[in-house]
Structure formats: structure tokens, C-alpha cells
Amino acid sequence: MTTVTSAHPDAPPSVPASRIWLAAWPVVAVFVLSNAATPLYPLWRERLGFSSGTLTVIFAGYIVGLIAALLSAGVLSDRIGRRPVLLPGIALALVACVLFATANSVVALGIARVLTGIAVGAAVSAGMAAVADVAGERRSGLAALAASTAMVCGAGTGPLLAGVLAQLVPGPTVVVFVVEAGLLVSAAAVVYWLPLPAVTAKGIGWVRIPGVPRANRRALALGVAVFAPGITATSFVLSLGPSLLVGLLGTSNRIIAGGMAFAMFAAATGAQFLARPWPTRRVLLLGALPTVAAMGTLALTLTTHQAAGLLIAAILAGTGQGLGQFGGLTLLFTGVPDTRRAEANAALNIGGYIPAAALPVTAGYLGDALGTAWGAGIFAIALGTVAALAAAFVARG
């Protein structure tokens, strides 16, 4: 039998919006690290000499660490509280910064990416749940918006910051991660200061496949159906986008690569603010359609060799991820009990990140075997089809 005790089951209605957004800062800081390496891959690739397939494996190491963390971080956070999960996660992110800054092998980069994934797993489960805890039930809509935009804002800021620093300052693979370490220290201070509730859920296992109560399973399925294709599309842009830019535009300018990633996540952020007053079903339906359009644009770009098409595809992909993520989180934040909230966040993200790891890696190795354009084209057709099926599922549901 499950016994739940909470020292602070609901934040009062007078909780200021500024505190809710401050609670989202640790999510931003950790997600800055998640994509900060994107514009730097060509530097490491030139220095260490590895293929497109190896690059996507390094990128996917992050998702492996993330999924491993989500199998325990969500349940653990609901059982012992948000702070004991968040602070160790931030500490691992700092270790990853050290490894990135000193990396002289593919193995070091891979380990750094795995640790980054574990830190992000803590932020996704415990960090997003902490935002909802601070906001309280009456402001769950604002909590969903703050948590979701914090994720995409950090994910977009990381590559832009890294791209600018990598292009303008010496020793970019060191400077970028020194700056990020400072952001993580400030995030740890926020976690320490926040008045987080003491949530203790007894009678549940420490490690299990995250899920939701039976009554919320359809909501989870709808969220995953749209979020998964969206985040798979953005993962492709982050991992192989710089290589496509070199092929289409003939440039290795790291500001351009970082700017494309930033534009993608800026679109995700803007779409979520725009969608805030919409019914959740509309948010999800309109989240699936941009992903379909993104894959169609990517396929067209591969035949026309116009780099502007790649930017348009990235913006559409970001819009799809942002709306799918916001819609899924809204369903979970408003329907799942707070004692299962972190676990629900973990379940949504596991459903999204598994294809986000598998499909870009497949595209990378197909690119090594058949050529980058063929690998990207097959990826675009497959993911576009999945996103179209997701739109049909939401329309029926």
C-alpha cells in the first residue's frame, strides 16, 4: 500500500510568477550543457578523426545516460524529494564540463555525454516536478509553460553560446565549459534556496519503468505520440546539422551552426507561449504537423542544395518539439497526482528520447555507407511518416 506524506501539498495562490520562473532556472542551466557541444564537434572531429557514425554515437551517449537516469530519477524524486536528486545531478554536470574541457579521445567525449545525459535526467524528472511543486495546483498551467520553455530555452542557448565563443575566443573547448560551470553553480544555489516540499512516497520500488496511473495512460500516449517525433527531428539537426551545413553551404562557421540550433529552440519557445491559451488537443495536433512539414522541407533541401531550407526545416522541427512537449506536460501536470509527477515526466521523456537516440544514429551510419544526403533523406521519409500517424492519432483521440 502506498502512503504519501507532504509538508507542502500545494503552494498558495499568491506564489509570485517570478518564483515559479526562478524554480525553472536549474532546468535551463543543465539543458545549456546538453547541446553546448554541438558547434564544437567539427573541432573535435578534426583533432581526433572520427566518422559521422561515430559522431552520432557520441551524441546518443547523452540519450543513453538520460534514459538510464530516468529509470530511477523520477521514482527516486517522488520518494525522497526533489533536492536530493537535483544536487547530485548538477554535480555530475560539473564533472562532464571538466571532461569536455580536457577531452583528448572519443572515449572521454562519450563519457562526458553520458554524464550530461544523467544530469539532464535529473533535471527533466526532479527539476520539472520542482517547478510544479513551487507553483502549486492552482498555477499548474504556468508551471507547465515554465518547465517546458526552460528546457527548450536552455537547449537553444547552449549551442548559440558555444558557437559564438568558439568562433571569437581562443581555446573554445575550454572556455565554453568554464562558462557553463558558472551557470551550474548558480543553479545549485537556486536548488538549495528554493522552498521545496518534502515529498515522501512509500511502498514503491527504487528502480522501475516509469509510468502513470491507469487514468492518465491515454494522456501519456498522446503526449509521447507528438513529442517523440518532434524531439527526434531536433536531435537529428543537433547531431548531423553541422555536417549538412558543410555539405550544402561549404562552411564550418561555428556561429552559423550554433545560430541554427538557437533558431530551432527559439521557435520551440515562441510556439509554447503562443499556444498557452489553446486547448491541449489543438496544441498536440498543431505540434505534429510542423514535424511533418520539417521532414518534407529537409527532403526538398537535399535535392535543391539550398542551405536556407535546412534552417526552415530546423525551425519547423523546433516548433513541433515545443508544442508536443508543452501539450504532453500540460496533460500530465493537470492530471497526474503530485506524488507521481516526477515519474510521469520521466515516462514522457523516455518515450521521446528512445527514438531520438536510435533514428539519428541509424541516419548517421546510413550516411557513412550511402552518403550523407541519402542517410538524411531516408530519415526524413521515415520520421515524416511517423509524425503524420501521430497527427491522425491525436485527431481521433
Side-chain angles (χ1 to χ4, degrees):
M1 182 174 180
T2 300
T3 303
V4 178
T5 62
S6 177
H8 187 167
D10 281 321
S14 59
V15 170
S18 59
R19 182 176 295 181
I20 297 172
W21 288 102
L22 179 63
W25 171 245
V27 178
V28 175
V30 173
F31 268 92
V32 167
L33 178 63
S34 70
N35 293 327
T38 296
L40 304 177
Y41 286 135
L43 291 176
W44 284 314
R45 191 173 179 180
E46 181 180 349
R47 183 192 308 166
L48 303 176
F50 48 81
S51 68
S52 295
T54 301
L55 173 59
T56 55
V57 170
I58 292 171
F59 182 85
Y62 155 76
I63 300 179
V64 171
L66 169 62
I67 293 174
L70 290 175
L71 290 173
S72 58
V75 175
L76 190 64
S77 173
D78 286 335
R79 183 164 182 169
I80 67 174
R82 316 307 184 200
R83 191 176 286 112
V85 173
L86 277 172
L87 289 178
I90 292 173
L92 289 178
L94 287 167
V95 174
C97 285
V98 174
L99 288 174
F100 276 127
T102 60
N104 56 10
S105 68
V106 170
V107 173
L109 290 175
I111 294 173
R113 288 293 288 171
V114 171
L115 292 179
T116 299
I118 295 172
V120 170
V124 161
S125 53
M128 289 185 170
V131 176
D133 290 345
V134 170
E137 183 177 345
R138 294 176 181 85
R139 307 200 73 174
S140 58
L142 179 59
L145 179 65
S148 188
T149 55
M151 175 178 169
V152 294
C153 179
T157 300
L160 179 63
L161 176 66
V164 171
L165 291 176
Q167 197 68 29
L168 300 179
V169 302
T173 55
V174 175
V175 173
V176 166
F177 297 104
V178 170
V179 172
E180 166 60 7
L183 299 180
L184 290 169
V185 170
S186 71
V190 169
V191 172
Y192 182 80
W193 173 83
L194 279 176
L196 295 173
V199 178
T200 305
K202 298 179 180 179
I204 59 176
W206 291 94
V207 177
R208 63 175 180 176
I209 298 175
V212 294
R214 183 181 297 273
N216 305 111
R217 288 178 183 173
R218 184 166 182 81
L220 176 63
L222 287 168
V224 169
V226 180
F227 175 54
I231 199 166
T232 301
T234 58
S235 295
F236 174 84
V237 172
L238 290 168
S239 59
L240 291 179
S243 297
L244 287 175
L245 273 175
V246 171
L248 295 173
L249 193 59
T251 179
S252 58
N253 187 298
R254 289 175 286 279
I255 295 180
I256 294 177
M260 182 176 68
F262 177 79
M264 179 171 68
F265 287 111
T269 303
Q272 291 178 74
F273 276 99
L274 181 65
R276 187 179 178 189
W278 298 349
T280 307
R281 182 180 177 189
R282 182 188 300 174
V283 173
L284 289 171
L285 182 59
L286 294 181
L289 297 179
T291 305
V292 176
M295 294 301 98
T297 304
L298 175 60
L300 182 62
T301 300
L302 295 171
T303 61
T304 61
H305 300 282
Q306 296 296 318
L310 184 59
L311 175 61
I312 294 171
I315 291 173
L316 288 169
T319 302
Q321 179 193 328
L323 292 176
Q325 179 179 302
F326 179 48
L329 283 176
T330 300
L331 287 175
L332 297 181
F333 277 18
T334 57
V336 176
D338 59 355
T339 53
R340 298 285 299 276
R341 186 175 289 140
E343 183 183 355
N345 294 345
L348 175 67
N349 281 276
I350 286 176
Y353 275 107
I354 287 177
L359 291 182
V361 168
T362 302
Y365 278 106
L366 282 174
D368 286 341
L370 304 175
T372 301
W374 275 101
I378 293 170
F379 172 87
I381 293 171
L383 189 61
T385 301
V386 172
L389 292 174
F393 177 51
V394 173
R396 290 185 60 186

